[in-house]
Amino acid sequence: MDYQLIIRPAQIPAGSHLISWPGSPLLDALDVPLLAEMRAAGEGDARFGCAPFARITLIPQEAWQERATDALPVRLRALLKAPVSDTLVLDCTLLAAGGVRDGALRALFNLDHRLSDLKLMTSCPQERRVAALFAYCLPQQEASLAESLRLQHAVAAGMLAARRLADLPADLCTPQFVVEQATRLTADSPALRCEVLDETAIREQGLGLLHAVGKGAGCPPRLLAIHYDGASGGPVRSYVGKGVTFDTGGLWLKEGAGMYTMKYDMCGAANVLGLMLSIARLALPVRAMGVLALAENAIGPNAMQPGSVARACNGMTVEINNTDAEGRLVLADAIAWASRQHPQSRYIIDIATLTGAVVKALGYDLSGLMTQDEGLRAALTAAGLKSGDEVWSLPLDARLKPQTASRIADLCNTPTNNAAISASAAWLLHHFCSPEIPWAHLDVSGTALWREEGHSVASGRPIPLLVQHLLDDLRGEVGFVEAGSDS
C-alpha cells in the first residue's frame, strides 16, 4: 500500500473514502452538506450524498483515543474488509504520538494481506483493495506524522512477510520452504545474509534437541541464521524464533481440535524473519541476528519417544518426558547456538507460540514476558506500552527449579505436576543462554494470531514491540538519530 501525507483539502483525491471524527478541525474546510448532520449525530457512515467522496465515515472521538482495547485498529480492519474505494483519506489530527496512532497505521498497512492472496482457491473473487493511503493532518503535525508513517510502513512490511508465510498450510510451509523463502526475501538487501544448517550440520554441531524433534518427520529440520550488518562494529542483538512448521504432538498425540491450528506453531520463526526485514528496511545502524529453529514434530519410525534423553549443543541433557513440549527443545538449542556464535551479544530475545497456559493466564491481547534481567524487563514493558504491542511479566526464579528436575538427565522438558507451565518452560530455556548475556522469553501463544469472525490468521506480533524496543535501545545507547530524519 502506497501512502502520502497531505495538509490541504486540495490534495484530497476525488472518489476517496474519508475516515475522520466529528470534532475534527479538518472537516470545517470541506463543503459536504451531509457532514453537518453526521457531525451533530456524533458518528456516521454514508455512501450517498457525500460527493466528492465515495464514502465518509465518522468514528467517535473516544475510539480514536482508547488504547487498552485496540478499538480504532479493530474498527478500521472491519470497516475496510470490503472498501468502496481504493483510495483512503485518514484524518490523523487525533492520533497522538505512539500507541493508538501506530496501531491504526499498522492496521491499515496490514490490509495488504488476505488469505485469498495465497492463491489456493480455484476461483478467487476480484476483491477491491485499498491501494493508497492519504494521511491528512494539520501543518504542525506533519513532521511527526511523516516519521510515524515511514516507521510503521516498514514495521508492517515485516509483519506482512511473516503473516503470508505463517498462513500457508504446513504441507507447503516445511522447514526447507521457510529457508527458501527467507533466502528470496532477504536477497534484495545487501545488509542481510543467510546461513543454513541442514540436518547433517545440525547433528555435526551437536544440536541434539533440534535433531530429536525433527527426526521423526519426512521433512528434515533446519537451523536458519539471518545476519544483519547495518554497522561495522558493536554488540549483536539476537532474536530466536520457534519454527515448528507443524505440531502433531509427536507420540504424545494431540486431539484433532487441538491440532487444527498447529501450522501456526512456527509464528515465532516467521516473526523473526519479518523483524529482520523491517530492521533492514529501516536501515538501522546496528548488528543483529535472527535464528529460526525449524522442524516438524511428526509421528514416524524415528520419532522421539517419551523418556528419551537428548543433548543440546551446550552439552546439557534433557529428558523428554512429553513429546508435545517440543517447542522449548528447538528453542533451547537455538538459544545455546546463538550464545556460542556471539558470546558478547547485547541481548537474546526468543519468541514462541510456546504454551496454551499463557493464554489462560493473559488472554489474547498480552504476550507473556519472562526474564531474570530487570533492565530488559523494563525496556520491553516500556516498548510494549509505547508501540501498543504490550507484554505482561510472569515470575521466573529458582522456585521453579523442581519443575524441570530429572532423575536421569540435567533437566526434563515438562513439569510432572502440570503447574506453572509457561514459567516452567522459561525456566528450562534460561539454562541455555550464557549467563553473561541478558535474555528474555516472549510467549506469544495468545497474540500471534488475530481472531475475528470465528477464524484465526497470523497477526505479525510481536514485531512492533521488538522494533520499538530496538529503537529505544539504540537511542539510549548511542544518542541515536532515527533513519530518514534531517538532523
Side-chain angles (χ1 to χ4, degrees):
M1 184 187 300
D2 294 328
Y3 69 88
Q4 182 178 334
L5 185 59
I6 60 175
I7 57 173
R8 295 183 297 276
Q11 296 174 287
I12 298 175
S16 57
H17 179 184
L18 171 66
I19 299 178
S20 183
W21 59 285
S24 173
L26 298 180
L27 299 182
D28 298 338
L30 300 179
D31 184 19
V32 182
L34 183 63
L35 265 178
E37 182 179 340
M38 294 175 68
R39 296 178 79 176
E43 63 179 303
D45 186 28
R47 305 188 192 192
F48 304 100
C50 44
F53 297 98
R55 183 177 186 180
I56 296 176
T57 304
L58 298 188
I59 297 174
Q61 180 174 346
E62 55 268 23
W64 294 78
Q65 298 174 322
E66 170 58 48
R67 289 177 58 99
T69 63
D70 234 11
L72 183 60
V74 169
R75 289 186 72 149
L76 290 175
R77 285 199 301 269
L79 184 67
L80 297 169
K81 282 184 177 179
V84 300
S85 173
D86 59 6
T87 303
L88 177 66
V89 178
L90 181 70
D91 182 336
C92 296
T93 52
L94 264 187
L95 298 184
V100 174
R101 177 174 67 187
D102 295 345
L105 295 177
R106 286 197 303 267
L108 294 176
F109 290 136
N110 268 281
L111 293 172
D112 271 349
H113 170 61
R114 298 182 183 182
L115 291 179
S116 57
D117 295 340
L118 303 178
K119 301 189 185 304
L120 298 176
M121 299 179 183
T122 54
S123 178
C124 290
Q126 293 296 316
E127 300 172 306
R128 183 187 285 271
R129 303 287 183 96
V130 176
L133 168 66
F134 288 80
Y136 190 20
C137 69
L138 298 168
Q140 60 268 32
Q141 298 173 314
E142 187 175 7
S144 174
L145 184 59
E147 179 53 34
S148 281
L149 283 163
R150 185 193 66 84
L151 173 60
Q152 296 310 319
H153 194 257
V155 170
M159 296 173 73
L160 288 164
R163 293 175 59 212
R164 288 171 182 138
L165 189 62
D167 281 334
L168 284 169
D171 61 328
L172 299 176
C173 189
T174 64
Q176 178 59 28
F177 180 87
V178 175
V179 168
E180 292 167 358
Q181 291 300 300
T183 303
R184 179 183 64 82
L185 290 169
T186 57
D188 291 337
S189 175
L192 292 172
R193 55 187 172 87
C194 291
E195 176 185 2
V196 183
L197 304 188
D198 64 11
E199 65 269 36
T200 301
I202 286 170
R203 291 195 302 270
E204 289 175 348
Q205 295 198 24
L207 282 78
L209 303 184
L210 178 57
H211 168 70
V213 173
K215 67 191 179 83
C219 306
R222 295 286 185 266
L223 187 84
L224 169 64
I226 304 172
H227 303 275
Y228 172 72
D229 300 313
S232 58
V236 173
R237 291 155 172 86
S238 296
Y239 305 91
V240 175
K242 172 188 172 183
V244 177
T245 56
F246 194 79
D247 181 19
T248 66
L251 296 180
W252 204 292
L253 187 67
K254 295 178 184 288
E255 62 176 9
M259 208 185 299
Y260 179 70
T261 58
M262 284 301 104
K263 71 175 186 178
Y264 290 114
D265 217 15
M266 46 71 72
C267 280
N271 291 333
V272 168
L273 167 60
L275 172 65
M276 299 303 290
L277 295 172
S278 291
I279 292 172
R281 183 176 283 246
L282 290 166
L284 297 180
V286 66
R287 297 171 67 209
M289 179 176 70
V291 181
L292 285 65
L294 303 164
E296 181 181 334
N297 188 23
I299 295 175
N302 297 319
M304 60 179 172
Q305 300 169 337
S308 58
V309 174
R311 187 180 299 274
C313 69
N314 70 344
M316 295 195 74
T317 57
V318 179
E319 178 187 3
I320 302 168
N321 57 359
N322 183 337
T323 66
D324 194 23
E326 83 301 328
R328 64 203 70 182
L329 299 177
V330 303
L331 277 177
D333 248 344
I335 292 167
W337 188 87
S339 297
R340 189 170 68 189
Q341 295 299 111
H342 296 290
Q344 304 301 318
S345 293
R346 180 159 177 82
Y347 54 72
I348 295 176
I349 300 173
D350 77 72
I351 306 103
T353 52
L354 204 63
T355 66
V358 84
V359 182
K360 294 180 180 178
L362 301 178
Y364 296 113
D365 298 313
L366 294 165
S367 298
L369 166 63
M370 284 145 274
T371 181
Q372 293 182 304
D373 188 280
E374 293 308 315
L376 199 50
R377 185 194 311 279
L380 284 166
T381 301
L385 290 170
K386 191 180 296 186
S387 66
D389 186 3
E390 294 185 47
V391 298
W392 195 268
S393 287
L394 294 174
L396 186 68
D397 58 46
R399 285 174 288 189
L400 295 164
K401 186 175 180 179
Q403 300 297 95
T404 59
S406 169
R407 298 181 63 187
I408 193 172
D410 296 322
L411 301 160
C412 71
N413 72 329
T414 54
T416 56
N417 59 9
N418 205 35
I421 298 296
S422 300
S424 296
W427 180 256
L428 180 139
L429 291 174
H430 100 277
H431 292 86
F432 296 88
C433 185
S434 169
E436 291 77 30
I437 302 175
W439 162 83
H441 165 61
L442 294 175
D443 192 332
V444 297
S445 291
T447 56
L449 301 180
W450 275 325
R451 295 161 181 86
E452 293 181 351
E453 298 180 356
H455 300 283
S456 295
V457 294
S459 71
R461 290 181 64 186
I463 293 175
L465 162 73
L466 294 173
V467 171
Q468 185 63 57
H469 172 257
L470 177 53
L471 290 173
D472 292 346
D473 191 48
L474 283 168
R475 291 188 190 101
E477 183 180 284
V478 295
F480 175 63
V481 177
E482 290 184 5
S485 67
D486 294 329
S487 54

